[in-house]
Amino acid sequence: MLFSLLKLNKKYFKIKNNTIMPNFYLFFYQIKGKSMQKKKILFLGAGYATLSAIKALPDELFEKAQVSLISNYSYHYHTILLHKVASNEDIYSSKYDLLPLLNPKINFIQDKVLKISKDKVFTQNGEFDFDILVCGLGFAKETFGIKGMQEYALSIDNYENALKINEVIYNKIQDYKNTHNEDDLKITVCGGGLSGVEFVASLAKELKTFCQKEQIDHDKIELSLIEAMDQILPMFEKKLALKAKHRLEQLGVKVYEKSKIIECEKNGIKLDGGMFIKANTIIWTAGVRGNSVIENSTDFPSTRSRVEVDAFMHPLNVENASKYFFIGDNSLFKDPKTNTPYPPTAQLALREGAYVAKALKALVDEEEFKQEFSFVSGNTVCSIGNDYAVGTVLHKPISGYLAIKLKIFIEKLWQYQLEGIKGFFK
């Protein structure tokens, strides 16, 4: 019986150590789809965009369609809180087991996506066909070709790497007690946007407590933040950016503005003009690109691993585009008024996901869907430690205690969407 099935379709089996092993994920994915004759909706990635779409799907859709999700990880992480993981402010609150968040009728497959073609998704352990594809594979580090940055700098681009940064920083500071190498106490953050500012501020506060506990002279800690543009937090007006800079300096952070990085070395950063900032730990927060799977998927034209989409989240210059949705950090959606891409933010990803849920319902019900996606950037708040923040609300500046309370509330909204009232108090 086993060999007749293998002869019938070898892709449902794989050879391991000279033993024929059934590929259960692929077998049930394919057979279930054929037997039930339902539309197959395949989600890729478990970030903000895809999860916000999945959470917004009506229950009745799962009776009409076979919904599957492929993700590298068995968990979801709250990306805008990863700086707290890296700094040691809060390691656990940003991580969620994935299965309890999903409708039980979703077929979850933990696997690594390698490539996407027009009718299949290829993973490490199999291949999956679909009727509708929703791709939200997230982002990766973009170093803009700066020499040495890829090799020597760490990046807060996922939960595991945030934990790695945490481990590297605190191990080096512990090692200093034996080696007395003061360069181990020097940490440089490259990029003065939201991620860089939030991380270095959080780290500054955590290191003060840690040094007291470990009886290490905190005055020897050197934290640097480097920004190429005229000011840190360039999305804000200058007055707000100055408030943020002054707050960082009060926390002991050296802020370098108008400082273009030429090269990253193992023990420091070389700036345009010849200045060298010594540091044995270097963190890159200055740029992201789409997931590398996108540039490996040549059926979908992309720029920096981001697929440009139209107002329905369908890829441009692709045949039968209505069966594909690209959302989140691996998509590129332009402001129709300026023809410039919106920056890839959590706010944009969440709204794209909610929009796609409506489009999927119409597709499954075979109804015409004419509503175009539109986006107006809302509130943006940057925390500078756990007791201060700066930002804009309804395009008006805000700072201080009220701003940090708003920042916490914004973070809690996603947690509430994931877990209900339990998530709000996590």
Side-chain angles (χ1 to χ4, degrees), residues 109-281:
I109 302 155
Q110 187 175 348
D111 204 347
K112 183 176 182 179
V113 177
L114 303 176
K115 181 182 175 182
I116 306 166
S117 73
K118 289 185 177 180
D119 56 3
K120 288 185 186 296
V121 170
F122 300 88
T123 69
Q124 279 187 340
N125 298 305
E127 58 186 61
F128 301 84
D129 58 5
F130 54 83
D131 297 307
I132 302 167
L133 178 72
V134 183
C135 183
L137 286 172
F139 66 91
K141 178 167 68 175
E142 171 62 278
T143 60
F144 306 106
I146 297 173
K147 185 179 178 182
M149 196 62 73
Q150 197 70 40
E151 293 80 6
Y152 299 122
L154 302 170
S155 180
I156 312 175
D157 52 6
N158 59 50
Y159 184 82
E160 296 298 329
N161 284 344
L163 280 179
K164 182 180 179 181
I165 290 169
N166 181 310
E167 181 181 350
V168 167
I169 289 172
Y170 287 94
N171 282 349
K172 284 186 178 178
I173 294 174
Q174 287 276 19
D175 289 345
Y176 167 76
K177 294 165 73 173
N178 297 318
T179 66
H180 303 291
N181 181 358
E182 293 193 357
D183 289 347
D184 283 340
L185 304 181
K186 297 174 182 177
I187 302 159
T188 293
V189 179
C190 305
L194 294 170
S195 297
V197 170
E198 291 192 327
F199 168 63
V200 78
S202 177
L203 182 62
K205 300 199 78 169
E206 291 303 309
L207 286 179
K208 187 172 184 179
T209 302
F210 182 77
C211 286
Q212 290 173 347
K213 178 183 175 184
E214 296 297 323
Q215 297 183 327
I216 295 171
D217 185 358
H218 180 260
D219 290 338
K220 292 184 177 180
I221 297 285
E222 289 188 19
L223 292 178
S224 301
L225 179 67
I226 304 173
E227 172 54 46
M229 298 186 72
D230 291 349
Q231 64 179 53
I232 60 170
L233 301 175
M235 72 290 296
F236 293 149
E237 63 179 45
K238 190 163 187 65
K239 186 177 179 181
L240 274 182
L242 278 172
K243 285 186 176 184
K245 181 180 179 180
H246 292 155
R247 188 72 175 189
L248 288 173
E249 290 172 340
Q250 289 173 357
L251 292 173
V253 179
K254 294 181 181 179
V255 179
Y256 297 85
E257 296 171 317
K258 301 180 184 179
S259 301
K260 184 179 179 181
I261 297 171
I262 299 301
E263 184 177 351
C264 175
E265 298 183 6
K266 187 176 182 180
N267 65 336
I269 294 291
K270 186 185 294 184
L271 300 180
D272 189 14
M275 183 178 182
F276 188 79
I277 301 173
K278 296 186 75 174
N280 277 357
T281 305

